Amino acid sequence: MEQRGTVAVLGATGYIGGRLVAALLASGWRVRAVGRNPEKLRCRPFASHPNVELAQADALDQSLLTEALRGCRAAYYLVHSMYPGVKNFEERDKRAALIMRDAARDAGLERIIYLGGLGDPDKSLSDHLKSRMEVGEILSGGPVPLTWLRAAMILGSGSASF
C-alpha cells in the first residue's frame, strides 16, 4: 500500500484516538500517536505497528507539542480537559487550544482536524459544550486550516461516557 504521509493524533490513548489510529494505519497513513503518558502509549495495541511513532507531549507545553507535530501533514486534535480531578477545565481547554493553534503554525501543518460537540451557539449551552465551541473558534482563528467535526455524545465500550 502506498504511504500517504504522516499525521499526528493528539489524544491517541483515548477511546476515539485509539480507534482513529487503527483506521488511519489501515488507510495507509503513518501515524504519530501523541499523548502525555508514555506508558499509556506503549501499552496500546497500535504501539508496535511499524508505521506508528510514539511521541510524548502535553497540549499545555508549546515547545514539546510543536516538536511532536513537526514533519506531520495534519493533526487530529482530540484533546479535552474535562476529566475527574481537573478544576477549571474550560480555562485549560482554552489554553491548550491557543497552544495548539500556534504549535500547528510553527510546525508547518497543512490542516488541523478537530472533534467538537453539537450545540447551537445562539442557545444556552452547558459549560462542556461552550468549551468545545470555544476550542473550535480558537483553532479556526489561526493560519492553519481547520476541519471542525461535531458529534453528539459518543458511547462505546471503554469510552468515558459508557
Side-chain angles (χ1 to χ4, degrees):
M1 182 180 295
E2 178 186 334
Q3 251 332 299
R4 303 176 82 177
T6 302
V7 294
V9 176
L10 281 72
T13 61
Y15 176 73
I16 295 167
R19 283 153 179 79
L20 176 60
V21 169
L24 290 167
L25 291 168
S27 296
W29 291 95
R30 286 190 56 75
V31 176
R32 186 165 303 145
V34 182
R36 285 187 313 260
N37 186 325
E39 289 302 314
K40 279 188 176 180
L41 283 170
R42 283 193 286 274
C43 73
R44 292 298 188 244
F46 56 73
S48 61
H49 192 286
N51 289 328
V52 169
E53 301 170 47
L54 304 179
Q56 181 182 1
D58 189 309
L60 297 173
D61 184 324
Q62 187 167 339
S63 62
L64 282 178
L65 188 56
T66 301
E67 199 51 43
L69 298 174
R70 203 171 302 285
C72 294
R73 290 181 60 191
Y76 287 85
Y77 188 77
L78 306 175
V79 173
H80 196 340
S81 299
M82 193 172 117
Y83 47 88
V86 172
K87 294 182 180 172
N88 300 322
F89 74 89
E90 304 98 323
E91 234 359 85
R92 288 176 61 93
D93 275 347
K94 182 178 176 178
R95 277 192 9 239
L98 290 164
I99 288 169
M100 176 61 185
R101 180 196 66 197
D102 296 343
R105 176 201 62 217
D106 296 347
L109 289 185
E110 297 172 23
R111 177 158 306 277
I112 300 169
I113 302 101
Y114 167 61
L115 178 60
L118 294 177
D120 182 345
D122 295 328
K123 305 255 177 170
S124 180
L125 296 174
S126 68
D127 290 343
H128 169 248
L129 289 176
K130 280 188 229 172
S131 179
R132 299 286 76 208
M133 289 288 191
E134 184 174 36
V135 166
E137 292 296 330
I138 290 168
L139 294 174
S140 68
V144 177
L146 176 72
T147 297
W148 185 347
L149 307 171
R150 296 174 66 194
M153 186 181 344
I154 299 172
L155 297 174
S157 177
S159 72
S161 301
F162 192 73

